[in-house]
Coordinates of all heavy atoms in Angstrom, one line a residue:
M1 N -175.0 -32.9 119.3 CA -176.1 -33.4 120.0 C -176.8 -32.4 120.9 O -176.1 -31.6 121.5 CB -175.7 -34.6 120.9 CG -175.5 -35.9 120.2 SD -175.3 -37.3 121.3 CE -173.5 -37.2 121.6
P2 N -178.1 -32.5 121.0 CA -178.8 -31.6 121.9 C -178.4 -31.8 123.4 O -178.0 -32.9 123.8 CB -180.3 -32.0 121.8 CG -180.4 -32.8 120.5 CD -179.0 -33.4 120.3
I3 N -178.4 -30.7 124.1 CA -178.0 -30.7 125.5 C -179.2 -30.6 126.4 O -180.1 -29.9 126.1 CB -177.0 -29.6 125.8 CG1 -175.7 -29.8 125.1 CG2 -176.8 -29.4 127.3 CD1 -174.7 -28.7 125.3
V4 N -179.2 -31.5 127.4 CA -180.3 -31.4 128.4 C -179.6 -31.2 129.8 O -178.6 -31.8 130.1 CB -181.1 -32.7 128.5 CG1 -182.1 -32.7 129.6 CG2 -181.7 -33.0 127.2
R5 N -180.1 -30.2 130.6 CA -179.5 -29.9 131.9 C -180.4 -30.6 132.9 O -181.7 -30.4 132.9 CB -179.5 -28.4 132.1 CG -178.4 -27.8 131.3 CD -178.3 -26.3 131.6 NE -179.5 -25.6 131.3 CZ -180.2 -24.8 132.1 NH1 -179.7 -24.6 133.3 NH2 -181.3 -24.2 131.7
F6 N -179.8 -31.4 133.8 CA -180.5 -32.1 134.9 C -180.2 -31.3 136.1 O -179.0 -31.2 136.5 CB -180.1 -33.5 135.0 CG -180.7 -34.4 134.0 CD1 -180.2 -34.5 132.7 CD2 -181.8 -35.2 134.3 CE1 -180.7 -35.4 131.8 CE2 -182.4 -36.1 133.4 CZ -181.8 -36.2 132.1
L7 N -181.2 -30.8 136.8 CA -181.1 -30.1 138.1 C -181.3 -31.2 139.2 O -182.4 -31.8 139.2 CB -182.1 -29.0 138.2 CG -182.1 -27.9 137.1 CD1 -183.1 -26.9 137.4 CD2 -180.7 -27.3 136.9
L8 N -180.3 -31.4 140.0 CA -180.3 -32.5 140.9 C -180.8 -32.0 142.3 O -180.7 -30.8 142.6 CB -178.9 -33.1 141.0 CG -178.4 -33.5 139.6 CD1 -176.9 -34.0 139.7 CD2 -179.3 -34.5 138.9
P9 N -181.3 -33.0 143.1 CA -181.8 -32.6 144.4 C -180.8 -31.9 145.3 O -181.2 -31.1 146.2 CB -182.2 -33.9 145.0 CG -182.5 -34.8 143.8 CD -181.5 -34.4 142.8
D10 N -179.5 -32.1 145.1 CA -178.5 -31.4 146.0 C -178.2 -30.0 145.5 O -177.3 -29.3 146.0 CB -177.3 -32.2 146.1 CG -176.5 -32.4 144.8 OD1 -177.0 -31.8 143.7 OD2 -175.5 -33.1 144.7
G11 N -178.9 -29.5 144.5 CA -178.7 -28.2 144.0 C -177.7 -28.1 142.9 O -177.5 -27.0 142.3
T12 N -177.1 -29.1 142.6 CA -176.1 -29.1 141.5 C -176.8 -29.4 140.1 O -178.0 -29.7 140.1 CB -175.0 -30.1 141.7 OG1 -175.5 -31.4 141.7 CG2 -174.2 -29.8 142.9
E13 N -176.1 -29.2 139.1 CA -176.6 -29.3 137.7 C -175.7 -30.2 136.9 O -174.5 -30.1 137.1 CB -176.8 -27.9 137.1 CG -177.3 -27.9 135.7 CD -177.4 -26.5 135.2 OE1 -177.9 -25.6 135.9 OE2 -176.9 -26.2 134.1
Q14 N -176.2 -31.0 136.1 CA -175.4 -31.8 135.2 C -175.9 -31.7 133.8 O -177.1 -32.0 133.6 CB -175.4 -33.3 135.7 CG -174.3 -34.1 135.1 CD -174.1 -35.5 135.8 OE1 -174.5 -35.6 136.9 NE2 -173.5 -36.4 135.1
A15 N -175.1 -31.3 132.9 CA -175.5 -31.2 131.5 C -175.1 -32.4 130.7 O -174.0 -32.9 130.8 CB -174.9 -30.0 130.8
L16 N -176.0 -33.0 130.0 CA -175.8 -34.2 129.2 C -176.0 -33.9 127.7 O -177.0 -33.2 127.3 CB -176.7 -35.4 129.6 CG -176.8 -35.8 131.0 CD1 -177.7 -37.0 131.1 CD2 -175.4 -36.1 131.6
D17 N -175.1 -34.5 126.9 CA -175.4 -34.5 125.4 C -176.3 -35.7 125.2 O -175.9 -36.9 125.6 CB -174.1 -34.7 124.6 CG -173.2 -33.5 124.7 OD1 -173.8 -32.4 124.6 OD2 -172.0 -33.7 124.8
V18 N -177.5 -35.5 124.7 CA -178.4 -36.6 124.5 C -178.7 -36.8 123.0 O -179.1 -35.8 122.3 CB -179.8 -36.3 125.2 CG1 -180.7 -37.5 125.0 CG2 -179.5 -36.0 126.7
A19 N -178.4 -37.9 122.5 CA -178.6 -38.2 121.0 C -180.1 -38.2 120.7 O -180.9 -38.6 121.5 CB -178.0 -39.6 120.7
V20 N -180.4 -37.6 119.5 CA -181.7 -37.6 119.0 C -182.2 -39.1 118.9 O -181.5 -40.0 118.5 CB -181.8 -37.0 117.6 CG1 -183.1 -37.2 116.9 CG2 -181.5 -35.5 117.7
G21 N -183.4 -39.3 119.4 CA -184.0 -40.7 119.4 C -183.8 -41.4 120.6 O -184.4 -42.5 120.8
V22 N -183.0 -40.9 121.6 CA -182.8 -41.5 122.9 C -183.7 -40.9 123.9 O -183.9 -39.7 123.9 CB -181.3 -41.4 123.3 CG1 -181.1 -41.8 124.7 CG2 -180.4 -42.2 122.3
S23 N -184.2 -41.7 124.8 CA -185.1 -41.1 125.9 C -184.2 -40.4 126.9 O -183.1 -40.8 127.1 CB -186.0 -42.2 126.5 OG -185.2 -43.0 127.4
L24 N -184.8 -39.4 127.6 CA -184.1 -38.8 128.7 C -183.7 -39.8 129.7 O -182.7 -39.6 130.3 CB -185.0 -37.7 129.3 CG -185.3 -36.4 128.5 CD1 -185.9 -35.4 129.3 CD2 -184.0 -35.9 127.8
M25 N -184.6 -40.7 130.0 CA -184.3 -41.7 131.0 C -183.0 -42.5 130.6 O -182.1 -42.7 131.4 CB -185.5 -42.7 131.2 CG -185.2 -43.8 132.1 SD -184.4 -45.3 131.4 CE -185.7 -46.1 130.5
E26 N -183.0 -43.0 129.4 CA -181.8 -43.7 128.9 C -180.5 -42.9 129.1 O -179.5 -43.4 129.5 CB -182.0 -44.2 127.5 CG -183.1 -45.2 127.3 CD -183.3 -45.4 125.8 OE1 -183.7 -44.5 125.1 OE2 -183.2 -46.6 125.4
A27 N -180.6 -41.7 128.7 CA -179.4 -40.8 128.8 C -179.0 -40.6 130.2 O -177.8 -40.7 130.6 CB -179.7 -39.4 128.1
A28 N -180.0 -40.4 131.1 CA -179.7 -40.2 132.5 C -179.1 -41.5 133.1 O -178.2 -41.4 133.9 CB -181.0 -39.8 133.2
R29 N -179.6 -42.6 132.8 CA -179.1 -43.9 133.3 C -177.6 -44.1 132.8 O -176.8 -44.6 133.6 CB -180.0 -45.0 132.9 CG -181.4 -45.0 133.5 CD -181.4 -45.4 135.0 NE -180.9 -46.8 135.2 CZ -180.3 -47.2 136.3 NH1 -180.1 -46.4 137.3 NH2 -180.0 -48.5 136.4
Q30 N -177.4 -43.8 131.6 CA -176.0 -44.0 131.0 C -175.0 -43.1 131.8 O -173.9 -43.5 131.9 CB -176.0 -43.7 129.5 CG -176.7 -44.8 128.7 CD -176.9 -44.3 127.2 OE1 -176.4 -43.3 126.8 NE2 -177.5 -45.2 126.5
E31 N -175.5 -42.0 132.2 CA -174.5 -41.0 132.9 C -174.6 -41.1 134.4 O -174.0 -40.3 135.1 CB -174.8 -39.6 132.4 CG -174.5 -39.4 130.9 CD -173.1 -39.6 130.6 OE1 -172.2 -39.2 131.4 OE2 -172.8 -40.1 129.5
G32 N -175.5 -42.0 134.9 CA -175.5 -42.2 136.3 C -176.2 -41.1 137.1 O -175.8 -40.8 138.2
I33 N -177.2 -40.5 136.5 CA -177.9 -39.4 137.2 C -178.6 -40.0 138.3 O -179.5 -40.9 138.2 CB -178.9 -38.7 136.2 CG1 -178.2 -38.0 135.1 CG2 -179.8 -37.7 137.0 CD1 -177.4 -36.8 135.4
E34 N -178.3 -39.5 139.5 CA -178.9 -40.0 140.7 C -180.4 -39.7 140.8 O -180.8 -38.6 140.4 CB -178.2 -39.4 142.0 CG -178.3 -40.3 143.2 CD -177.5 -39.7 144.3 OE1 -176.8 -38.7 144.2 OE2 -177.5 -40.3 145.4
G35 N -181.2 -40.6 141.2 CA -182.7 -40.4 141.3 C -183.5 -40.8 140.1 O -184.7 -40.8 140.1
I36 N -182.8 -41.2 139.0 CA -183.5 -41.8 137.9 C -183.2 -43.3 137.9 O -182.2 -43.8 137.4 CB -183.0 -41.2 136.5 CG1 -183.2 -39.7 136.5 CG2 -183.7 -41.8 135.3 CD1 -184.6 -39.2 136.6
V37 N -184.1 -44.0 138.5 CA -183.9 -45.4 138.8 C -184.4 -46.3 137.6 O -183.7 -47.2 137.2 CB -184.6 -45.9 140.1 CG1 -184.5 -47.3 140.3 CG2 -184.1 -45.1 141.2
A38 N -185.6 -46.0 137.1 CA -186.1 -46.6 135.9 C -186.3 -48.1 136.1 O -185.8 -48.9 135.3 CB -185.3 -46.3 134.7
E39 N -187.0 -48.5 137.2 CA -187.1 -49.9 137.5 C -187.8 -50.7 136.4 O -187.5 -51.9 136.2 CB -188.0 -50.1 138.7 CG -187.2 -49.8 140.0 CD -188.1 -49.9 141.2 OE1 -189.3 -50.1 141.1 OE2 -187.6 -49.7 142.3
C40 N -188.7 -50.1 135.6 CA -189.4 -50.9 134.6 C -188.8 -50.8 133.2 O -189.3 -51.4 132.3 CB -190.9 -50.4 134.5 SG -191.1 -48.9 133.6
G41 N -187.7 -50.1 133.2 CA -186.9 -50.1 131.9 C -187.5 -49.3 130.8 O -187.2 -49.5 129.6
G42 N -188.5 -48.4 131.1 CA -189.0 -47.5 130.1 C -190.5 -47.9 129.7 O -191.0 -47.4 128.8
G43 N -191.1 -48.8 130.5 CA -192.4 -49.2 130.2 C -193.5 -48.3 130.7 O -194.7 -48.6 130.5
A44 N -193.2 -47.2 131.3 CA -194.2 -46.3 131.8 C -195.1 -46.9 132.9 O -196.3 -46.6 133.0 CB -195.0 -45.6 130.7
I45 N -194.5 -47.8 133.7 CA -195.4 -48.4 134.7 C -194.8 -48.3 136.1 O -195.4 -48.7 137.1 CB -195.6 -49.9 134.4 CG1 -194.3 -50.7 134.2 CG2 -196.5 -50.1 133.2 CD1 -194.5 -52.2 134.1
C46 N -193.6 -47.8 136.3 CA -193.0 -47.7 137.6 C -192.9 -46.3 138.2 O -193.0 -46.2 139.4 CB -191.6 -48.3 137.6 SG -190.3 -47.3 136.8
G47 N -192.8 -45.3 137.4 CA -192.7 -44.0 137.9 C -191.4 -43.5 138.5 O -191.3 -42.4 139.0
T48 N -190.4 -44.4 138.5 CA -189.1 -44.1 139.1 C -188.2 -43.3 138.1 O -187.0 -43.2 138.4 CB -188.4 -45.3 139.6 OG1 -188.1 -46.2 138.5 CG2 -189.2 -46.0 140.6
C49 N -188.7 -42.8 137.1 CA -188.0 -41.9 136.2 C -188.6 -40.5 136.1 O -188.3 -39.7 135.2 CB -187.9 -42.5 134.8 SG -189.5 -42.6 134.0
H50 N -189.4 -40.2 137.1 CA -190.2 -39.0 137.2 C -189.3 -37.8 137.2 O -188.3 -37.7 138.0 CB -191.1 -39.0 138.4 CG -191.8 -37.8 138.7 ND1 -192.1 -37.4 140.0 CD2 -192.3 -36.8 137.9 CE1 -192.8 -36.3 140.0 NE2 -192.9 -35.9 138.8
V51 N -189.6 -36.8 136.4 CA -188.9 -35.5 136.4 C -189.9 -34.3 136.3 O -191.0 -34.5 135.8 CB -187.8 -35.3 135.3 CG1 -186.7 -36.3 135.5 CG2 -188.5 -35.5 133.9
H52 N -189.5 -33.2 136.7 CA -190.3 -31.9 136.5 C -189.6 -31.2 135.3 O -188.4 -31.0 135.4 CB -190.3 -31.0 137.7 CG -190.9 -31.7 138.9 ND1 -192.3 -31.7 139.1 CD2 -190.4 -32.3 140.0 CE1 -192.6 -32.3 140.2 NE2 -191.5 -32.7 140.8
L53 N -190.4 -30.8 134.4 CA -189.9 -30.0 133.3 C -190.1 -28.5 133.6 O -191.1 -28.1 134.2 CB -190.6 -30.3 132.0 CG -190.1 -31.6 131.2 CD1 -190.1 -32.8 132.0 CD2 -190.9 -31.7 129.9
Q54 N -189.2 -27.6 133.0 CA -189.5 -26.2 133.1 C -190.7 -26.0 132.1 O -190.9 -26.7 131.2 CB -188.3 -25.4 132.6 CG -187.2 -25.4 133.7 CD -186.1 -24.4 133.3 OE1 -185.8 -24.3 132.1 NE2 -185.5 -23.8 134.3
K55 N -191.5 -25.0 132.5 CA -192.8 -24.8 131.7 C -192.6 -24.7 130.2 O -193.3 -25.3 129.4 CB -193.5 -23.5 132.3 CG -194.8 -23.3 131.6 CD -195.9 -24.3 132.1 CE -197.3 -23.9 131.6 NZ -197.7 -24.7 130.5
D56 N -191.6 -23.9 129.8 CA -191.4 -23.7 128.4 C -191.0 -25.0 127.7 O -191.3 -25.3 126.6 CB -190.3 -22.6 128.1 CG -189.0 -23.0 128.6 OD1 -188.9 -23.5 129.7 OD2 -188.0 -22.7 127.8
C57 N -190.2 -25.8 128.4 CA -189.9 -27.2 127.9 C -191.1 -28.1 127.8 O -191.3 -28.8 126.9 CB -188.8 -27.8 128.8 SG -187.3 -26.9 128.9
F58 N -191.9 -28.0 128.9 CA -193.1 -28.9 129.0 C -194.0 -28.6 127.8 O -194.5 -29.6 127.2 CB -193.8 -28.5 130.3 CG -195.0 -29.4 130.5 CD1 -194.9 -30.6 131.1 CD2 -196.3 -28.9 130.2 CE1 -196.0 -31.4 131.3 CE2 -197.4 -29.7 130.4 CZ -197.3 -31.0 131.0
D59 N -194.1 -27.4 127.4 CA -195.0 -27.0 126.3 C -194.4 -27.5 124.9 O -195.1 -27.6 123.9 CB -195.2 -25.5 126.2 CG -196.0 -25.0 127.4 OD1 -196.7 -25.8 128.0 OD2 -195.9 -23.8 127.7
R60 N -193.1 -27.8 124.9 CA -192.5 -28.3 123.6 C -192.5 -29.8 123.4 O -192.3 -30.3 122.4 CB -191.0 -27.9 123.5 CG -190.9 -26.4 123.2 CD -189.4 -26.1 123.0 NE -188.7 -25.9 124.2 CZ -187.4 -26.1 124.4 NH1 -186.6 -26.5 123.4 NH2 -186.8 -25.9 125.5
V61 N -192.9 -30.5 124.5 CA -192.8 -32.0 124.5 C -194.2 -32.5 124.1 O -195.2 -31.9 124.4 CB -192.5 -32.5 125.9 CG1 -192.5 -34.0 126.0 CG2 -191.1 -32.0 126.3
E62 N -194.2 -33.6 123.3 CA -195.4 -34.3 123.0 C -196.3 -34.6 124.2 O -195.7 -35.0 125.3 CB -195.2 -35.6 122.2 CG -194.6 -35.4 120.8 CD -195.6 -34.9 119.9 OE1 -196.8 -35.3 119.9 OE2 -195.3 -33.9 119.1
P63 N -197.6 -34.4 124.2 CA -198.4 -34.7 125.4 C -198.2 -36.1 125.9 O -198.0 -37.0 125.1 CB -199.8 -34.4 124.9 CG -199.7 -33.6 123.7 CD -198.4 -34.0 123.1
A64 N -198.4 -36.3 127.2 CA -198.4 -37.6 127.8 C -199.5 -38.5 127.2 O -200.6 -38.0 127.0 CB -198.4 -37.5 129.3
G65 N -199.2 -39.8 127.1 CA -200.3 -40.7 126.7 C -201.1 -41.1 127.9 O -200.8 -40.7 129.0
M66 N -202.1 -42.0 127.7 CA -203.0 -42.4 128.8 C -202.3 -43.1 129.9 O -202.5 -42.8 131.1 CB -204.1 -43.3 128.2 CG -205.2 -42.5 127.4 SD -206.4 -43.6 126.7 CE -206.9 -44.6 128.1
T67 N -201.4 -44.0 129.6 CA -200.7 -44.8 130.6 C -199.8 -43.8 131.5 O -199.8 -43.9 132.7 CB -199.8 -45.9 130.0 OG1 -200.6 -46.7 129.2 CG2 -199.1 -46.7 131.1
E68 N -199.1 -43.0 130.8 CA -198.2 -42.0 131.5 C -199.1 -41.1 132.3 O -198.7 -40.8 133.5 CB -197.3 -41.2 130.5 CG -196.4 -40.3 131.2 CD -195.5 -39.4 130.3 OE1 -195.7 -39.6 129.1 OE2 -194.7 -38.6 130.8
S69 N -200.1 -40.5 131.8 CA -201.0 -39.6 132.5 C -201.5 -40.2 133.8 O -201.6 -39.6 134.8 CB -202.1 -39.1 131.6 OG -201.6 -38.4 130.5
A70 N -201.9 -41.5 133.7 CA -202.5 -42.2 134.8 C -201.4 -42.3 135.9 O -201.7 -42.1 137.1 CB -203.0 -43.5 134.4
L71 N -200.2 -42.7 135.5 CA -199.2 -42.9 136.5 C -198.8 -41.6 137.1 O -198.4 -41.5 138.3 CB -198.0 -43.6 135.8 CG -196.8 -44.1 136.7 CD1 -197.4 -45.0 137.8 CD2 -195.8 -44.8 135.9
L72 N -198.8 -40.5 136.4 CA -198.4 -39.2 136.9 C -199.4 -38.7 138.0 O -199.1 -37.8 138.7 CB -198.3 -38.2 135.8 CG -197.0 -38.4 134.9 CD1 -197.1 -37.4 133.7 CD2 -195.7 -38.2 135.7
Q73 N -200.6 -39.3 138.0 CA -201.5 -39.0 139.1 C -201.1 -39.5 140.4 O -201.6 -39.0 141.5 CB -202.9 -39.6 138.8 CG -203.5 -39.1 137.4 CD -203.8 -37.6 137.4 OE1 -204.4 -37.1 138.4 NE2 -203.4 -36.9 136.4
I74 N -200.2 -40.5 140.5 CA -199.9 -41.1 141.7 C -198.4 -41.1 142.1 O -198.0 -41.5 143.2 CB -200.4 -42.6 141.7 CG1 -199.7 -43.4 140.6 CG2 -201.9 -42.6 141.7 CD1 -200.0 -44.9 140.7
V75 N -197.6 -40.6 141.2 CA -196.1 -40.5 141.6 C -196.0 -39.5 142.7 O -196.7 -38.5 142.8 CB -195.2 -40.2 140.4 CG1 -195.2 -41.3 139.4 CG2 -195.6 -38.8 139.8
P76 N -195.0 -39.7 143.6 CA -194.8 -38.7 144.7 C -194.3 -37.4 144.1 O -193.5 -37.4 143.2 CB -193.7 -39.4 145.5 CG -193.7 -40.8 145.1 CD -194.2 -40.9 143.7
D77 N -194.7 -36.3 144.7 CA -194.2 -35.0 144.4 C -194.5 -34.6 142.9 O -193.7 -33.9 142.3 CB -192.7 -34.8 144.7 CG -192.2 -33.4 144.6 OD1 -193.1 -32.5 144.9 OD2 -191.0 -33.2 144.3
A78 N -195.7 -35.0 142.4 CA -196.1 -34.6 141.1 C -196.4 -33.1 141.0 O -196.9 -32.5 142.0 CB -197.2 -35.5 140.6
S79 N -196.2 -32.6 139.8 CA -196.6 -31.2 139.6 C -197.3 -31.1 138.2 O -197.3 -32.1 137.5 CB -195.4 -30.3 139.6 OG -194.6 -30.5 138.4
E80 N -197.7 -29.9 137.8 CA -198.4 -29.8 136.5 C -197.4 -29.9 135.4 O -197.8 -30.1 134.2 CB -199.1 -28.4 136.4 CG -198.2 -27.2 136.5 CD -198.9 -25.9 136.4 OE1 -200.2 -25.9 136.5 OE2 -198.3 -24.9 136.1
T81 N -196.1 -29.9 135.7 CA -195.1 -30.1 134.6 C -194.3 -31.4 134.8 O -193.3 -31.6 134.2 CB -194.1 -28.9 134.5 OG1 -193.4 -28.9 135.7 CG2 -194.8 -27.6 134.2
S82 N -194.9 -32.3 135.5 CA -194.3 -33.7 135.7 C -194.4 -34.5 134.4 O -195.4 -34.4 133.7 CB -195.0 -34.4 136.8 OG -194.7 -33.9 138.1
R83 N -193.3 -35.2 134.2 CA -193.3 -36.2 133.1 C -192.5 -37.4 133.5 O -191.7 -37.3 134.4 CB -192.8 -35.6 131.8 CG -193.6 -34.5 131.1 CD -195.0 -35.0 130.7 NE -194.9 -36.1 129.7 CZ -194.9 -36.0 128.4 NH1 -195.1 -34.8 127.9 NH2 -194.9 -37.1 127.6
L84 N -192.7 -38.5 132.8 CA -191.8 -39.6 132.9 C -190.7 -39.5 131.9 O -191.0 -39.4 130.7 CB -192.6 -40.9 132.6 CG -193.8 -41.2 133.6 CD1 -194.5 -42.5 133.1 CD2 -193.4 -41.3 135.0
S85 N -189.5 -39.5 132.4 CA -188.4 -39.2 131.5 C -188.2 -40.3 130.4 O -187.6 -40.1 129.4 CB -187.1 -39.0 132.2 OG -186.7 -40.1 133.0
C86 N -188.7 -41.5 130.7 CA -188.6 -42.6 129.7 C -189.5 -42.3 128.5 O -189.4 -43.0 127.5 CB -189.0 -43.9 130.4 SG -190.7 -44.2 130.9
Q87 N -190.5 -41.4 128.7 CA -191.4 -41.2 127.6 C -191.1 -39.9 126.8 O -191.8 -39.5 125.9 CB -192.8 -41.0 128.1 CG -193.3 -42.3 128.9 CD -193.3 -43.5 128.0 OE1 -193.9 -43.6 127.0 NE2 -192.5 -44.5 128.5
I88 N -190.0 -39.3 127.1 CA -189.5 -38.1 126.4 C -188.3 -38.5 125.5 O -187.3 -38.8 126.0 CB -189.1 -37.0 127.4 CG1 -190.3 -36.6 128.3 CG2 -188.6 -35.7 126.6 CD1 -190.0 -35.6 129.3
I89 N -188.6 -38.5 124.2 CA -187.6 -38.9 123.3 C -186.9 -37.6 122.7 O -187.6 -36.7 122.2 CB -188.2 -39.7 122.1 CG1 -189.0 -40.9 122.7 CG2 -187.1 -40.2 121.2 CD1 -188.3 -41.8 123.6
M90 N -185.6 -37.6 122.8 CA -184.9 -36.4 122.4 C -185.1 -36.1 120.9 O -185.0 -37.0 120.1 CB -183.4 -36.6 122.8 CG -182.6 -35.3 122.5 SD -183.3 -33.8 123.1 CE -183.5 -34.2 124.8
S91 N -185.3 -34.8 120.6 CA -185.3 -34.3 119.2 C -184.6 -33.0 119.2 O -184.3 -32.4 120.3 CB -186.7 -34.2 118.7 OG -187.4 -33.1 119.5
E92 N -184.2 -32.5 118.0 CA -183.6 -31.2 118.0 C -184.5 -30.1 118.6 O -183.9 -29.1 119.1 CB -183.2 -30.9 116.5 CG -182.2 -31.8 115.9 CD -180.8 -31.6 116.5 OE1 -180.6 -30.6 117.2 OE2 -179.9 -32.5 116.2
D93 N -185.8 -30.3 118.5 CA -186.7 -29.2 119.0 C -186.6 -29.1 120.5 O -187.0 -28.1 121.1 CB -188.1 -29.6 118.7 CG -188.4 -29.5 117.2 OD1 -187.6 -28.8 116.5 OD2 -189.4 -30.0 116.7
L94 N -186.1 -30.2 121.2 CA -186.0 -30.2 122.6 C -184.6 -29.8 123.1 O -184.4 -29.9 124.3 CB -186.4 -31.6 123.2 CG -187.8 -32.0 122.8 CD1 -188.0 -33.4 123.4 CD2 -188.8 -31.1 123.3
A95 N -183.8 -29.3 122.2 CA -182.4 -28.9 122.7 C -182.5 -27.8 123.7 O -183.4 -27.0 123.7 CB -181.6 -28.4 121.5
D96 N -181.5 -27.9 124.7 CA -181.4 -26.9 125.8 C -182.5 -27.0 126.8 O -182.8 -26.1 127.5 CB -181.3 -25.5 125.2 CG -180.1 -25.4 124.3 OD1 -179.1 -25.9 124.6 OD2 -180.3 -24.7 123.3
M97 N -183.2 -28.2 126.8 CA -184.2 -28.3 127.8 C -183.6 -28.5 129.2 O -182.5 -28.9 129.3 CB -185.3 -29.4 127.5 CG -184.8 -30.8 127.6 SD -186.0 -32.0 127.1 CE -187.5 -31.5 128.0
C98 N -184.4 -28.3 130.2 CA -183.9 -28.4 131.6 C -185.0 -29.2 132.4 O -186.2 -28.9 132.3 CB -183.8 -27.0 132.1 SG -183.2 -27.0 133.8
V99 N -184.5 -30.2 133.1 CA -185.4 -31.0 133.9 C -184.9 -31.1 135.3 O -183.7 -31.0 135.6 CB -185.6 -32.4 133.3 CG1 -186.1 -32.4 131.9 CG2 -184.3 -33.2 133.4
R100 N -185.8 -31.1 136.3 CA -185.4 -31.2 137.7 C -185.8 -32.6 138.2 O -186.9 -33.1 138.0 CB -186.1 -30.1 138.5 CG -185.7 -30.1 140.0 CD -186.3 -28.9 140.7 NE -187.8 -28.9 140.7 CZ -188.5 -29.6 141.6 NH1 -187.9 -30.4 142.5 NH2 -189.8 -29.6 141.5
V101 N -184.9 -33.2 138.9 CA -185.1 -34.5 139.5 C -185.7 -34.3 140.9 O -185.0 -33.6 141.7 CB -183.8 -35.4 139.6 CG1 -184.1 -36.7 140.3 CG2 -183.2 -35.5 138.2
P102 N -186.9 -34.8 141.2 CA -187.5 -34.5 142.5 C -186.6 -35.2 143.6 O -186.2 -36.4 143.4 CB -188.9 -35.2 142.5 CG -189.1 -35.4 141.0 CD -187.8 -35.5 140.3
A103 N -186.5 -34.6 144.8 CA -185.7 -35.1 145.9 C -186.3 -36.5 146.3 O -185.5 -37.4 146.7 CB -185.7 -34.1 147.0
V104 N -187.6 -36.6 146.2 CA -188.2 -37.9 146.7 C -187.7 -39.1 145.8 O -187.7 -40.2 146.3 CB -189.7 -37.7 146.6 CG1 -190.2 -37.7 145.2 CG2 -190.4 -38.9 147.4
Q105 N -187.2 -38.8 144.6 CA -186.7 -39.9 143.8 C -185.5 -40.6 144.4 O -185.2 -41.8 144.1 CB -186.3 -39.4 142.4 CG -187.5 -38.9 141.6 CD -188.2 -40.0 141.0 OE1 -189.4 -40.2 141.2 NE2 -187.6 -40.9 140.2
L106 N -184.8 -39.9 145.3 CA -183.6 -40.5 145.9 C -184.0 -41.5 147.0 O -183.2 -42.3 147.4 CB -182.7 -39.4 146.6 CG -182.2 -38.3 145.6 CD1 -181.3 -37.3 146.4 CD2 -181.4 -39.0 144.5
E107 N -185.3 -41.5 147.4 CA -185.7 -42.4 148.5 C -186.4 -43.6 147.9 O -186.8 -44.5 148.7 CB -186.8 -41.6 149.3 CG -186.2 -40.4 150.0 CD -187.3 -39.5 150.5 OE1 -188.5 -39.9 150.6 OE2 -187.0 -38.3 150.8
L108 N -186.5 -43.7 146.6 CA -187.1 -44.9 146.0 C -186.2 -46.1 145.9 O -185.0 -46.0 145.9 CB -187.7 -44.5 144.6 CG -188.7 -43.4 144.6 CD1 -189.1 -43.1 143.1 CD2 -189.9 -43.7 145.4
Ligands
FES201 FE1 -190.5 -46.9 134.5 FE2 -190.2 -44.7 133.2 S1 -188.7 -46.2 133.6 S2 -192.0 -45.4 134.2

């Protein structure tokens, strides 16, 4: 399975095996990654699964849709490589990607 590294707000890192076809949010929730709350269950309407991608990873992911793009305008601590982890579906092309969980996610 492809591996995704989650960089956590406390500076630690957690590597997850993520099955192809599973969203990053689902994988993070299954493994109890702190800061990935996913209140809406993957509907791209809550923003509580926000992560920052490394630039090279960001360029490999399918572009955000209209709903996700709109929400990324208002999530706290957004950056140019922000994405909703519920909208990133794992594929072999995304193996070894690295995502950072914003510290502000721990306050939601
Ligand atoms: Fe709600 Fe991703 S889980 S926007």
Side-chain angles (χ1 to χ4, degrees):
M1 277 191 275
I3 291 176
V4 177
R5 290 181 297 127
F6 283 81
L7 306 180
L8 307 177
D10 66 1
T12 61
E13 180 179 312
Q14 195 167 339
L16 305 185
D17 290 321
V18 182
V20 170
V22 171
S23 75
L24 289 191
M25 176 277 282
E26 292 172 303
R29 293 287 296 154
Q30 286 170 4
E31 294 298 324
I33 298 288
E34 203 173 1
I36 304 296
V37 178
E39 284 177 356
C40 76
I45 56 172
C46 73
T48 61
C49 67
H50 171 213
V51 293
H52 297 278
L53 277 56
Q54 286 186 327
K55 184 72 172 99
D56 65 317
C57 299
F58 183 83
D59 293 339
R60 285 189 278 154
V61 176
E62 289 291 316
M66 284 178 47
T67 303
E68 180 181 3
S69 295
L71 191 53
L72 289 172
Q73 300 295 313
I74 59 171
V75 294
D77 193 25
S79 73
E80 65 179 12
T81 63
S82 286
R83 291 298 302 263
L84 299 177
S85 60
C86 68
Q87 301 302 301
I88 300 174
I89 308 302
M90 184 49 56
S91 67
E92 293 292 349
D93 292 343
L94 299 180
D96 302 320
M97 73 184 307
C98 181
V99 304
R100 183 172 63 79
V101 179
V104 69
Q105 292 284 120
L106 299 180
E107 301 164 12
L108 301 176

